[in-house]
Amino acid sequence: IWSAGCSTGEEPHTLSIILHEILDNVKNWKISIVASDIDLVALKKAQAGVYDFRSVKETPDDYLQNYFDYDRENNFYRVKD
């Protein structure tokens, strides 16, 4: 799956979450998500997978619990591996 113009990575991370939710055992599938953008600073943010509350405010709580770690000290969410 190619996420062209991925900016800071919300789309490719969302695609990964959706695949984990809809496939019975995602580990049995051979899936690659490729994210690209011309903005190298945005790509570094996408690779880090770190988002503030505004970026995840519409994300269901169960998705936040299952797919993100919350850093209380710095008040951000990081996508789990």
Side-chain angles (χ1 to χ4, degrees), residues 24-76:
D24 289 332
N25 190 350
V26 74
K27 293 179 182 184
N28 289 336
W29 294 75
K30 185 176 179 180
I31 300 170
S32 295
I33 299 173
V34 177
S36 63
D37 199 285
I38 62 170
D39 184 339
L40 297 181
V41 173
L43 279 176
K44 285 198 176 281
K45 289 182 180 180
Q47 188 175 26
V50 174
Y51 300 102
D52 61 18
F53 177 74
R54 290 178 312 181
S55 296
V56 299
K57 69 181 177 186
E58 294 186 30
T59 304
D61 287 339
D62 57 329
Y63 286 13
L64 288 175
Q65 291 174 2
N66 292 331
Y67 300 106
F68 294 84
D69 290 318
Y70 179 62
D71 184 326
R72 291 184 191 278
E73 185 176 319
N74 297 301
N75 197 32
F76 66 77

